[in-house]
């Protein structure tokens, strides 16, 4: 079984909103008009994200999330938010398209670290929506925070970003792009590559899938990969908290680049 297949098997639900999280919970849904995210994570943005992360409804949903597989009881979960929200960047469609001066990555959301009483960890994806800053997704694990730390150590001052189509994490700085995980190593080699060479690679891979392309116009930019069914009890809990579950699992969209990417996590999202 490939790593991608394993990740697909582990995923249970995903619902995208705003720039990458704007899909309706149907397999054939087309992306909705996104709410642009800020260009940087300012102190004001982080404060708004922290308020969303620590809201009573968020903590109640986190309790259900951590208790979903019986690892901890609903009342004993006692989730807490650790540290401040961090920026999470994804490969920029403008960079793929070769727009002059476009950075390799753009801010997609802020991530807040949630921890349960038994040590489970999850990332809250917090994005600006039409209703303000909201938690739009919960993902198991600490990828966002771990790779931020790895990137800072490997290339201080660099930009840590994810190429969601292949679930690869990198850090870019100056004229270099360095890998932070195995998926990135397979893509650019253990020693990384130049920014120019990386641009050639992603343009070849995704250049025909950008917004306005036949691929996007044909409704192929988005949708959900097959995955295990969402447990009825978990879905009921999520629905009771006002957090709908998607009908499928596994697909993320970078803007409207449209290539499915699966992260090794269980997701539940609140649509803007």
């Amino acid at each position: 079984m490939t790593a991608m297949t394993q990740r697909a098997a582990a995923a249970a639900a995903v619902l995208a909103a705003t720039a990458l999280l704007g899909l309706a919970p149907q397999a054939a849904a087309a992306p909705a008009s996104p709410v642009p995210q800020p260009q940087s994570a300012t102190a004001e943005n982080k404060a708004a994200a922290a308020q969303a992360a620590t809201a009573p409804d968020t903590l109640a949903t986190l309790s259900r999330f951590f208790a979903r597989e019986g690892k901890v009881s609903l009342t004993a979960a006692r989730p807490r938010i650790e540290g401040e929200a961090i920026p999470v960047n994804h490969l920029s469609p403008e960079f793929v398209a070769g727009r002059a001066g476009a950075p390799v990555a753009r801010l997609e959301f802020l991530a807040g670290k949630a921890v349960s009483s038994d040590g489970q960890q999850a990332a809250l994806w917090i994005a600006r929506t039409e209703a303000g800053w909201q938690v739009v997704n919960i993902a198991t694990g600490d990828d966002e925070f771990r790779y931020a730390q790895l990137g800072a150590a490997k290339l201080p001052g660099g930009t840590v970003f994810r190429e969601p189509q292949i679930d690869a994490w990198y850090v870019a700085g100056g004229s270099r792009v360095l890998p932070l995980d195995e998926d990135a190593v397979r893509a650019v080699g253990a020693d990384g590559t130049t920014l120019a060479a990386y641009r050639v690679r992603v343009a070849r891979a995704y250049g025909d899938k950008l917004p306005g392309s036949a691929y996007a116009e044909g409704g192929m930019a988005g949708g959900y990969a097959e995955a295990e069914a969402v447990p009825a009890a978990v879905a009921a809990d999520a629905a009771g908290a006002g957090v709908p579950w998607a009908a499928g699992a596994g697909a993320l969209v970078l803007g409207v680049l449209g290539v499915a990417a699966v992260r090794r996590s269980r997701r539940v999202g609140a649509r803007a």
Side-chain angles (χ1 to χ4, degrees):
M1 182 181 292
T2 67
M4 185 63 73
T5 301
Q6 289 172 335
R7 279 189 285 270
V14 60
L15 182 60
T18 71
L20 66 81
L21 305 170
L23 303 180
Q26 290 86 28
S33 299
V35 173
Q37 299 304 297
Q39 293 184 351
S40 62
T42 64
E44 181 180 2
N45 293 335
K46 290 182 178 180
Q51 185 174 3
T54 56
D57 286 349
T58 300
L59 296 177
T61 300
L62 277 169
S63 292
R64 281 184 278 267
F65 184 82
F66 286 130
R68 71 195 181 281
E69 293 175 343
K71 296 179 180 178
V72 64
S73 71
L74 184 64
T75 56
R78 297 192 302 276
R80 65 185 185 275
I81 307 302
E82 291 190 347
E84 69 174 12
I86 65 170
V88 178
N89 304 296
H90 280 190
L91 173 63
S92 166
E94 290 77 20
F95 178 81
V96 174
R99 182 174 300 175
V104 66
R106 70 181 185 186
L107 181 68
E108 288 296 320
F109 54 89
L110 301 181
K113 180 183 288 188
V115 182
S116 70
S117 61
D118 66 338
Q120 294 182 71
Q121 296 187 44
L124 296 173
W125 292 10
I126 311 164
R128 185 169 62 186
T129 74
E130 292 180 353
W133 284 89
Q134 294 184 328
V135 175
V136 295
N137 191 58
I138 303 174
T140 57
D142 65 346
D143 286 9
E144 291 79 7
F145 314 99
R146 181 160 45 90
Y147 289 120
Q149 293 177 343
L150 287 173
K154 193 167 190 176
L155 189 58
T159 298
V160 174
F161 71 97
R162 180 172 178 253
E163 183 183 331
Q165 294 79 6
I166 60 171
D167 193 27
W169 288 86
Y170 309 86
V171 59
S175 62
R176 298 294 297 173
V177 177
L178 305 179
L180 296 177
D181 68 356
E182 293 181 357
D183 295 298
V185 169
R186 283 191 289 270
V188 300
D191 296 326
T193 188
T194 66
L195 189 63
Y198 181 71
R199 158 76 179 84
V200 170
R201 190 188 75 78
V202 295
R204 183 185 304 119
Y206 315 125
D208 62 346
K209 300 173 180 67
L210 290 166
S213 67
Y215 185 89
E217 295 297 330
M220 298 299 292
Y224 299 94
E226 292 183 0
E228 62 181 300
V230 177
V234 177
D237 274 343
V243 182
W245 285 80
L252 292 180
V253 175
L254 171 63
V256 198
L257 281 184
V259 181
V262 181
R263 175 179 164 187
R264 190 170 49 246
S265 65
R266 184 179 300 271
R267 297 188 176 97
V268 54
R271 192 181 180 197

